[in-house]
């Protein structure tokens, strides 16, 4: 990302009359969405600090505190698996085991083809339809291993969900 693009995003956010303290988080979301690998490169984090006139440590504090941000490249599809108790008890454990085996990765890793990143998350707020996963911005509930298999195969085939 070049500095002009970053400035355009900042100007756009400022025109939305966001609170000054909210601009950093909204900016990080937009910058991360700019990259196909869903992450914020270190040099862009430095540019963000300069453009917002904040210390780089402030930018990295936010980047590393919130699990939705990443400083390393991730897959096209980010699979967030809820491992809280309401999801884990009714079949969530089997779904975690299945995903790890099917994708050949552990939590925090990306498949060799760059298609999937598997992440562990706390409650997604959908306990009534547990177990639940979130893939990018889409939620999937009432899951079984078979349903997860269908979802993964659909995404591998290029179907955007």
């Amino acid at each position: 990302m070049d500095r002009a693009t970053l400035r355009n995003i900042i100007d756009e956010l400022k025109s939305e009359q966001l609170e000054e303290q909210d601009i950093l988080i909204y900016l990080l979301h937009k910058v991360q969405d700019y990259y196909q690998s869903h992450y914020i490169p270190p040099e862009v984090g430095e540019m963000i600090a300069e453009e917002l006139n904040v210390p780089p440590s402030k930018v990295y504090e936010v980047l590393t505190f919130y699990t939705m941000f990443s400083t390393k490249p991730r897959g096209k599809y980010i699979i967030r698996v809820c491992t809280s108790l309401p999801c884990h008890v009714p079949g969530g454990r089997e779904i975690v085991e299945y995903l790890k085996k099917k994708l050949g990765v552990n939590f925090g890793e990306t498949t060799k083809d760059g298609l999937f990143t598997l992440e562990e998350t706390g409650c997604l707020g959908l306990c009534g339809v547990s177990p639940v996963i979130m893939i990018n911005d889409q939620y999937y509930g009432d899951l079984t291993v078979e349903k997860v298999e269908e979802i993964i195969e659909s995404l591998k085939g290029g179907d955007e969900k």
Side-chain angles (χ1 to χ4, degrees):
M1 171 177 286
D2 61 33
R3 195 170 291 272
T5 302
L6 180 61
R7 284 187 185 135
N8 287 339
I9 295 171
I10 292 170
D11 290 343
E12 176 186 318
L13 288 172
K14 286 184 176 179
S15 74
E16 293 177 16
Q17 299 179 341
L18 294 169
E19 295 289 328
E20 194 69 31
Q21 65 269 19
D22 294 337
I23 288 177
L24 177 57
I25 288 182
Y26 281 88
L27 177 59
L28 291 173
H29 277 293
K30 289 204 177 264
V31 169
Q32 185 166 269
D33 289 346
Y34 176 85
Y35 290 95
Q36 185 176 350
S37 296
H38 306 286
Y39 80 114
I40 298 174
E43 64 275 7
V44 176
E46 298 288 329
M47 273 197 305
I48 289 169
E50 291 169 13
E51 291 297 320
L52 294 181
N53 198 27
V54 298
S57 61
K58 175 70 174 172
V59 173
Y60 288 100
E61 175 184 333
V62 174
L63 274 175
T64 57
F65 179 78
Y66 293 104
T67 59
M68 80 270 291
F69 297 125
S70 180
T71 56
K72 64 179 189 174
R74 297 186 286 181
K76 178 178 181 181
Y77 300 108
I78 302 165
I79 303 172
R80 293 180 177 95
V81 181
C82 178
T83 57
S84 65
L85 195 57
C87 278
H88 204 61
V89 171
R93 185 178 356 214
E94 292 81 11
I95 289 170
V96 168
E97 290 170 12
Y98 168 77
L99 283 167
K100 286 180 175 182
K101 184 177 178 184
K102 172 79 174 174
L103 302 175
V105 296
N106 285 309
F107 286 128
E109 297 178 345
T110 300
T111 57
K112 290 178 182 160
D113 62 5
L115 204 53
F116 298 100
T117 296
L118 187 61
E119 295 183 352
E120 180 178 19
T121 188
C123 185
L124 291 169
L126 297 167
C127 302
V129 293
S130 64
V132 176
I133 63 174
M134 180 179 177
I135 302 177
N136 294 350
D137 296 325
Q138 179 73 39
Y139 294 91
Y140 299 87
D142 290 322
L143 293 173
T144 62
V145 168
E146 294 76 23
K147 286 181 183 177
V148 174
E149 168 79 20
E150 289 175 22
I151 294 165
I152 297 300
E153 290 305 316
S154 173
L155 294 173
K156 278 183 173 181
D159 297 343
E160 288 280 341
K161 292 248 175 183

